[in-house]
Each structure stands twice: as structure tokens, then as C-alpha cells.
Amino acid sequence: MVELKNVNVHYKDGAKNGVDALHDINLRINDGEFVFIVGDSGAGKSTMLKLLTREIVPTNGRVFVNGYNLSKMRSRKIPYFRRSLGMIFQDFRLIPDLTVYENVAFVLRVTDKSNKYIRQRVPYVLNLVKLADKAKAKPTQLSGGEQQRVAIARAFATDPGLIIADEPTGNIDPKLSYEIVELLKDINKCGTTILMVTHEHDLVQYFGGRIINLSKGSIAFDDYIGGEDEGE
Ligand code: ADP
């Protein structure tokens, strides 16, 4: 569950009197939801994601994610909190020297999962993103779309409560963007909450669902729209 209560973020640097990047944000996202976050450049999307990953704390207000009160969390607890999140970035952020298999196994090793579990889990998640046959490849041998699928497998490997995808389709062929969102939808069906920031209006219109539109630091729209994809 994600909850923001009366959240303000004021950056002191930047403009002369500082910048109100977010003001009076109230928001609740329940477990199992799939939410698109949209908004123009400068609207406050990155600031919101930084709040949710505890890179920053709000100037005022409270932020709760996966049962953690982030406004009060001590620094030493942050790494444990972050293990309850999966992150997907526009630029994939795979480790270039490791194989696809090892990129996914790596996040399980750092969270002390047993070798037996890793040997089961990695093939399972690579199969889910349809990349079982690329397990031995290095990221540079893959297309952008394939690299992002590895990143999705890695984010889901730890079975996080929440996956945050920051412009995950920004660097890949527009035709393949739909495939990426479909995969995130499949993962969402397994119970993981998904928050996806995107600029791509076509994608949002196609899939529909809950859309949060940020504008100048406020929530301009937060509602459900019908999608064009049949069967949803
Ligand atoms: P978005 O991700 O929607 O483009 P941001 O959250 O990056 O928006 O930015 C929201 C506002 O806060 C913008 O006016 C931006 O210039 C400002 N801002 C973002 N980060 C900082 C910072 N570290 N210091 C000062 N101003 C910032």
C-alpha cells in the first residue's frame, strides 16, 4: 500500500524563493493496483518517485509505502525497506559484465536467498519475460526491448510488494512498448502493485485503468479510464 498524506516538497535551491515541486498531495494506492502516473515535464513525477523510494523526505506530510512510515524511518532501515521494492528504469541499468541469468541472480544473492531458491527462481522469472533462451547472453547482445524484459525479471525476482517503473518504455521501439506494459500487467496479476510513470499517451489510452495526472505539483486527475485493449 502506498499513501501520501498532505505532502509538500519544497526545494530550497533552484529558483529564487525555491520551488514547490509537490503541494498538498493526498493519495492512496491499494495493494494489487496498476497505476499510470502522467504529467508534463516539471510536474513533479520524479519528486514523487523519490519520495516513494525514500531518496528524499517530504518538507511536510507523511509517506507510507509497504507498511513503512518513510517520513520517520531511520537511515539504517532504508536498505531493508528498499528490498520490498522493485525498480525499473528507462535506461535498464543492467550490469554489463554479467549474463542475463547473473543479472537476475545478483539481486537474490544480495538478499541472502539460498542457492536452491536462486536456481528455481531465476529460470522462472526469465521464462515469465520469455527470455529463457537468452540466459547466457550479455546485455549488450540484446535489443533494448529484451534488456528491459531482463530488468523486469530482475525487479520481480525478489517478489516485491511494489514495482516502480520510471518511463520503462522511454528507450525502446514504440511497437515493443505495448509488450513491456503487457508484461507488467502479467506481473500485476500475480498480486504485485505496479506504479508506472510514462509520457506515452497512446499507451495510457490503450490500456486504461487508474491514471494519476500531475500538473504543476498537484494532482489534476486521479480516476479510472476505459482502455482500448479488449479483454481487460
Ligand atoms: P518531473 O519529473 O515531472 O519532470 P520533477 O519532480 O523533476 O518533475 O520537478 C518538479 C519541479 O521541481 C520542477 O520545477 C523542477 O525544476 C524542480 N526540481 C526538481 N528537483 C529539484 C532540485 N533538486 N532542486 C531544485 N528544484 C528541483
Side-chain angles (χ1 to χ4, degrees):
M1 204 254 289
V2 172
E3 198 166 17
L4 277 70
K5 285 187 172 173
N6 306 109
V7 164
N8 286 274
V9 174
H10 181 82
Y11 291 115
K12 285 207 178 78
D13 45 341
K16 195 175 165 201
N17 296 317
V19 178
D20 278 321
L22 290 176
H23 38 93
D24 208 23
I25 299 286
N26 285 288
L27 178 64
R28 186 187 161 107
I29 296 166
N30 289 320
D31 288 343
E33 286 199 69
F34 188 110
V35 180
F36 285 115
I37 297 180
V38 299
D40 295 337
S41 182
K45 304 180 300 295
S46 304
T47 300
M48 183 175 282
L49 294 193
K50 284 180 188 160
L51 283 173
L52 301 181
T53 56
R54 187 47 172 80
E55 274 177 70
I56 59 169
V57 288
T59 314
N60 299 108
R62 288 183 291 165
V63 179
F64 302 88
V65 177
N66 292 347
Y68 292 86
N69 181 347
L70 300 193
S71 327
K72 286 197 169 163
M73 186 183 286
R74 289 176 191 273
S75 306
R76 65 185 159 80
K77 282 208 171 164
I78 295 174
Y80 297 97
F81 156 67
R82 294 222 175 109
R83 287 178 191 177
S84 73
L85 298 178
M87 294 293 301
I88 298 166
F89 305 96
Q90 184 171 357
D91 55 359
F92 322 131
R93 302 199 193 174
L94 301 173
I95 302 170
D97 297 336
L98 298 183
T99 62
V100 164
Y101 182 99
E102 285 301 328
N103 263 279
V104 178
F106 183 76
V107 293
L108 296 170
R109 294 214 171 91
V110 296
T111 53
D112 293 332
K113 294 287 187 294
S114 71
N115 287 334
K116 186 178 172 218
Y117 180 78
I118 293 171
R119 280 198 300 270
Q120 288 169 350
R121 184 71 179 166
V122 178
Y124 171 77
V125 292
L126 287 179
N127 203 33
L128 197 76
V129 300
K130 302 178 189 75
L131 279 178
D133 57 333
K134 300 278 185 183
K136 289 186 178 151
K138 296 273 177 70
T140 49
Q141 297 170 307
L142 304 179
S143 70
E146 287 169 337
Q147 289 185 58
Q148 195 60 300
R149 278 152 55 196
V150 177
I152 291 172
R154 177 181 60 181
F156 185 56
T158 55
D159 202 10
L162 171 67
I163 289 181
I164 294 175
D166 189 2
E167 297 272 6
T169 60
N171 270 337
I172 58 181
D173 185 329
K175 279 187 227 142
L176 297 178
S177 297
Y178 291 84
E179 206 176 273
I180 294 295
V181 182
E182 296 280 8
L183 278 177
L184 292 173
K185 288 266 177 188
D186 289 344
I187 286 174
N188 176 243
K189 284 188 191 120
C190 300
T192 306
T193 310
I194 311 265
L195 253 172
M196 171 171 160
V197 170
T198 183
H199 270 110
E200 290 175 62
H201 292 289
D202 290 353
L203 274 184
V204 173
Q205 296 291 338
Y206 179 78
F207 287 99
R210 183 172 175 191
I211 319 294
I212 295 174
N213 187 354
L214 283 175
S215 174
K216 295 179 186 155
S218 296
I219 294 176
F221 178 92
D222 178 1
D223 213 338
Y224 295 84
I225 65 167
E228 294 159 17
D229 68 330
E230 292 155 328
E232 281 290 315

